[in-house]
Amino acid sequence: MAQKDASVFAAGGSDLELVGISKVFPGFTAVDNISLKIPAGSFFALLGPSGCGKTTTLRLISGLEEPTAGKILIGGKDITNTKPHQRTVNTVFQSYALFPHMTILENVAFGLKQRKMKNAIELAHEALALVELDHMASRKPSQLSGGQQQRVALARAVVNRPALLLLDEPLGALDLKLRRQMQIELKAIQSEVGLTFLHVTHDQEEAMTMADTVAVMNKGKIEQMGAPAELYELPKTRFVATFLGQSNLFDGKVTGATASTISVAVGSRTLELPAKRSAITSGDITVGVRPEKIAITRAKPAASKSRSLIGPGTVTDASFSGVSTQYLVDVPGLSTMTVFEQNDGDIVKAGTEVWLSWDSEFSFGIPLEAQGFHDSDTSTTTLAAQAK
Amino acid sequence: MAIGAFSHGPTGTVVSAESQKKSRVAWFLLLPGIVYLLLFFLTPLFSLVLTSFKTAPPAAFIGEYVYAFRWENYVEVLGMYGEHSLRSFTYAAIATLIALAIGYPLAYFIGVRLRPYPLLQSLALVLVIAPFFISFLLRTVAWKQLLADQGWIVGTMKAFAILPPDAHITGTSISVIFGLAYNFIPFMTLPLYTSIERLDLRLIEASNDLYANPMTTFRKVTIPLTLPGIVSGTLLTFIPAAGDYVNASANFLGSTQTSMIGNVIESNFLVLQNYPHAASMSLILMGAILVLVSAYVFKSGTDDLL
């Protein structure tokens, strides 16, 4: 379908480039000097907690907000000063925003008719077929379920073959099962039509499963950007380490560094980690390790140069979740540690004394930061109200 | 109810007895309203219909009529006052359009632009209905003074040669239509406001996002979504304006050349004492408005009206 219609639409997927973009609301900086480039045809996710500025970034790109500073380029062309209706960008809104007074077909054909496409109705039917809702074409949005409305909203945006498709947490209102199903469908549609997708979400699992590249946003800034696995395995800031999955973090001081290894004093213990996996090589540091990398044993394992060892600690909680068990282990002198263990039939009971060890290659080093980064959350709706 | 649908025998009869009792309560609560309508709407209407067919007996006094079936009354009034009827509906239609042109932007400003400031919004609404604090008649008389030939408005306009030296404003169609529009603007604005206040701005954004410029968005999204307010506002303005007899009266903003149906009915009832003609004219006005309004509501196709 994409190939057949490609010639009709001037704009296929295009690059998006943000150059030093900022948005300041009275008394609040929502987006703080963001620069990024999204290559044509990729699936890019902007991930962050509510109030981090991700929705504002999206609204700047669609033209619904004007940036305070910076430039927006689509396909190399500066569109910063154009109106929303002049931009070859379409949005799938969080609220779907389907026109209640029009039928499903009229909703989907709306954008095409504005662009004076002759075969608008035919293309709208094709787009509805793509989301498997063509049999509902003559209904009104209120007669559809939430999931169906979501698919119509997607069809209404995709049918225009925009240079860039913006998705503003479109799956937020769906229940978990439907959400997983829609994630797969969305990904399939993206690869089928070959558009550039920019997906805004606060769901880290959604971002990781769907996107080629994820940018983690916090307080109006991009903390880290990269492929999902790269972000997960080697976070560069405390925020990324805790927002994207869970981490066990130990604050300490660098006591020695060679070309390959850094030694860190954490309380009375010394942990070692590869120099290439640390963002800093001297002074205060936070050492982290993901919970599933840690092995939990009742007996003290044999000391090994390549393994980090912590213990003994006491299991305070073991919660069984099918494929794995999550343990909370209290280690004297350290915070409570989280460990994920595959279920191989041997579940350690709460109160047991255990040793924790992991391959030092899995440790990562990030700058030591004050905690409590999550407190200044401002919800998007409050911001929008303030902006008016 | 759902349980009743699956059960048989005793349970079913219990449910129906219960619902019978409920419907008796409903009727009881409706009773005052029904009595009121019977006494103050249906009875006068019935009497009006009877009066409209009355005839004057031979050698009757002025204002003396007996019951008959004189349908010629209707033919006579249509012949005599056809011009007044046409004028009424024309004035009312123009005044309604003016009120809509003023009321819509006003309601949009209060309902959308002032949405983030609830206090200002309430204040603006109070200002819209503030004219009601002063009697309708007093305000119309005040306008008569303002627009009078000796008034400063006409004086200024003549000084700047906007009006020729021998022109008037009062007593013309313009002043009557102005008065009608002025007096009915709140009736237009309030229903418009209730519709516009509920307008989902995210739909406007969606329309802009889908390549519609602001003008097209207004035409294809804003107007259809606020249509219930437009329909009820225009009805609440048009219906009373068509029957209005204050603005067009020579005592207020009009003259004998601007008489509307209301003035005809008034003079037939109170001056000429030709009750059958007044009654038949009233019924014709009612019928005409009913037909016009039904056609309008049917055409605009709003089921969720008022």
Side-chain angles (χ1 to χ4, degrees):
Chain A
M1 177 173 166
Q3 286 71 29
K4 197 169 64 187
D5 297 328
S7 59
V8 183
F9 297 88
S14 297
D15 297 358
L16 167 78
E17 202 177 346
L18 301 182
V19 185
I21 205 102
S22 291
K23 176 68 184 178
V24 182
F25 291 115
F28 184 83
T29 304
V31 177
D32 191 0
N33 194 18
I34 284 185
S35 293
L36 60 84
K37 190 166 183 169
I38 303 175
S42 66
F43 198 128
F44 191 95
L46 214 48
L47 174 70
S50 63
C52 73
K54 57 191 194 303
T55 295
T56 307
T57 309
L58 210 66
R59 291 173 62 84
L60 289 169
I61 298 167
S62 64
L64 298 171
E65 301 279 357
E66 283 176 30
T68 315
K71 276 198 298 186
I72 302 165
L73 295 98
I74 290 181
K77 230 177 89 199
D78 189 345
I79 55 141
T80 318
N81 295 316
T82 56
K83 296 265 174 278
H85 70 268
Q86 296 163 325
R87 298 189 184 186
T88 52
V89 171
N90 287 114
T91 311
V92 180
F93 293 91
Q94 190 170 15
S95 62
Y96 313 144
L98 298 178
F99 303 121
H101 59 292
M102 296 181 196
T103 63
I104 298 307
L105 186 69
E106 286 167 341
N107 262 285
V108 177
F110 189 88
L112 297 170
K113 283 188 174 161
Q114 297 314 310
R115 292 172 125 193
K116 309 266 185 296
M117 302 283 296
K118 285 213 176 58
N119 50 348
I121 297 297
E122 191 190 321
L123 290 171
H125 275 300
E126 276 181 32
L128 279 173
L130 184 69
V131 295
E132 290 166 9
L133 279 175
D134 202 23
H135 58 291
M136 303 269 191
S138 56
R139 298 212 190 164
K140 289 280 177 73
S142 57
Q143 294 168 294
L144 266 59
S145 72
Q148 291 170 332
Q149 290 187 26
Q150 199 278 332
R151 274 143 70 193
V152 174
L154 181 65
R156 186 176 71 170
V158 168
V159 74
N160 301 298
R161 294 292 182 278
L164 180 67
L165 187 75
L166 307 175
L167 300 125
D168 184 7
E169 303 207 27
L171 309 180
L174 305 180
D175 62 60
L176 193 69
K177 196 175 159 216
L178 200 54
R179 215 177 152 114
R180 294 283 171 264
Q181 192 186 328
M182 284 309 300
Q183 285 174 3
I184 295 163
E185 279 185 44
L186 210 55
K187 185 82 186 152
I189 287 169
Q190 194 260 341
S191 46
E192 192 175 337
V193 297
L195 299 176
T196 313
F197 274 39
L198 172 51
H199 185 163
V200 152
T201 180
H202 63 264
D203 180 339
Q204 40 112 356
E205 203 179 324
E206 189 172 299
M208 287 200 283
T209 50
M210 296 172 79
D212 310 324
T213 312
V214 176
V216 180
M217 257 187 105
N218 184 32
K219 292 181 181 167
K221 288 191 163 114
I222 290 181
E223 294 253 340
Q224 195 178 348
M225 189 156 56
E230 187 187 317
L231 289 191
Y232 185 80
E233 295 303 341
L234 192 54
K236 294 240 165 65
T237 67
R238 188 180 191 103
F239 180 80
V240 177
T242 50
F243 190 75
L244 203 69
Q246 295 183 41
S247 292
N248 293 298
L249 299 174
F250 317 101
D251 296 341
K253 252 187 170 51
V254 177
T255 51
T258 67
S260 62
T261 316
I262 294 176
S263 306
V264 179
V266 178
S268 57
R269 299 174 178 84
T270 297
L271 294 176
E272 294 196 333
L273 68 151
K276 61 176 190 294
R277 287 179 58 85
S278 181
I280 49 173
T281 51
S282 63
D284 292 337
I285 189 172
T286 298
V287 178
V289 64
R290 295 292 188 181
E292 75 282 2
K293 304 289 195 288
I294 302 176
I296 191 163
T297 45
R298 289 190 181 84
K300 184 176 181 178
S304 155
K305 192 84 187 91
S306 66
R307 282 187 83 79
S308 301
L309 178 67
I310 278 183
T314 317
V315 174
T316 57
D317 185 58
S319 37
F320 176 76
S321 68
V323 282
S324 66
T325 304
Q326 175 185 301
Y327 297 103
L328 295 180
V329 181
D330 210 6
V331 183
L334 291 174
S335 56
T336 302
M337 289 183 61
T338 308
V339 179
F340 286 128
E341 199 83 327
Q342 272 300 78
N343 276 330
D344 48 9
D346 178 25
I347 293 172
V348 183
K349 289 202 172 54
T352 316
E353 185 169 279
V354 291
W355 291 81
L356 305 174
S357 64
W358 65 92
D359 190 332
S360 298
E361 282 294 315
F362 290 129
S363 298
F364 53 85
I366 53 180
L368 182 78
E369 279 173 50
Q371 295 188 24
F373 44 86
H374 236 94
D375 53 353
S376 65
D377 264 16
T378 319
S379 87
T380 325
T381 32
T382 335
L383 280 179
Q386 281 171 357
K388 287 281 145 61
Chain B
M1 287 275 272
I3 296 167
F6 289 105
S7 59
H8 304 279
T11 330
T13 52
V14 169
V15 169
S16 80
E18 183 79 3
S19 66
Q20 251 178 9
K21 193 178 160 197
K22 268 187 189 158
S23 89
R24 271 204 299 275
V25 172
W27 279 110
F28 181 74
L29 290 173
L30 273 176
L31 201 63
I34 292 168
V35 170
Y36 178 88
L37 280 178
L38 279 175
L39 276 179
F40 298 106
F41 179 69
L42 285 182
T43 317
L45 184 68
F46 186 63
S47 149
L48 200 66
V49 173
L50 288 183
T51 310
S52 73
F53 290 110
K54 272 185 172 178
T55 184
F61 297 107
I62 290 176
E64 188 193 343
Y65 298 94
V66 293
Y67 289 109
F69 184 68
R70 192 173 183 278
W71 53 268
E72 290 92 334
N73 287 336
Y74 285 86
V75 182
E76 283 164 16
V77 292
L78 276 179
M80 286 160 76
Y81 306 120
E83 186 198 341
H84 299 81
S85 311
L86 191 65
R87 187 185 291 142
S88 287
F89 291 123
T90 314
Y91 282 5
I94 298 174
T96 304
L97 288 179
I98 294 173
L100 181 64
I102 294 171
Y104 199 95
L106 183 62
Y108 192 88
F109 179 79
I110 301 171
V112 173
R113 300 273 167 229
L114 294 186
R115 206 178 277 182
Y117 318 100
L119 197 68
L120 282 181
Q121 207 172 24
S122 319
L123 191 71
L125 279 178
V126 170
L127 287 178
V128 168
I129 54 166
F132 291 145
F133 298 160
I134 305 168
S135 155
F136 163 60
L137 293 177
L138 274 177
R139 280 182 285 126
T140 314
V141 170
W143 274 114
K144 188 190 180 181
Q145 299 289 324
L146 284 166
L147 298 174
D149 294 348
Q150 302 80 21
W152 63 269
I153 295 177
V154 172
T156 315
M157 286 172 94
K158 282 182 179 167
F160 285 97
I162 300 167
L163 275 183
D166 56 342
H168 310 280
I169 293 183
T170 48
T172 63
S173 308
I174 291 173
S175 74
V176 175
I177 292 170
F178 168 83
L180 287 171
Y182 160 76
N183 277 310
F184 288 105
I185 279 175
F187 294 96
M188 177 66 89
T189 311
L190 292 181
L192 278 174
Y193 168 78
T194 53
S195 255
I196 293 173
E197 199 263 328
R198 285 197 302 255
L199 179 67
D200 188 346
L201 298 181
R202 293 175 299 188
L203 296 175
I204 308 293
E205 289 187 342
S207 170
N208 284 331
D209 187 67
L210 290 164
Y211 315 109
N213 61 39
M215 195 59 221
T216 313
T217 300
F218 183 69
R219 212 159 37 83
K220 294 221 166 157
V221 180
T222 315
I223 288 188
L225 288 176
T226 54
L227 196 62
I230 297 173
V231 173
S232 47
T234 44
L235 288 181
L236 281 178
T237 304
F238 182 80
I239 297 172
D244 182 76
Y245 68 95
V246 172
N247 289 286
S249 143
N251 295 328
F252 291 89
L253 297 168
S255 66
T256 46
Q257 272 80 52
T258 63
S259 293
M260 294 167 66
I261 301 182
N263 304 95
V264 168
I265 295 169
E266 184 209 12
S267 71
N268 268 304
F269 260 123
L270 302 178
V271 183
L272 305 174
Q273 295 189 24
N274 190 341
Y275 305 125
H277 275 180
S280 45
M281 201 65 222
S282 302
L283 287 168
I284 288 172
L285 175 66
M286 260 180 80
I289 288 179
L290 204 64
V291 170
L292 282 174
V293 164
S294 326
Y296 179 57
V297 171
F298 187 74
K299 182 126 200 311
S300 49
T302 37
D303 346 287
D304 48 356
L305 191 67
L306 297 172

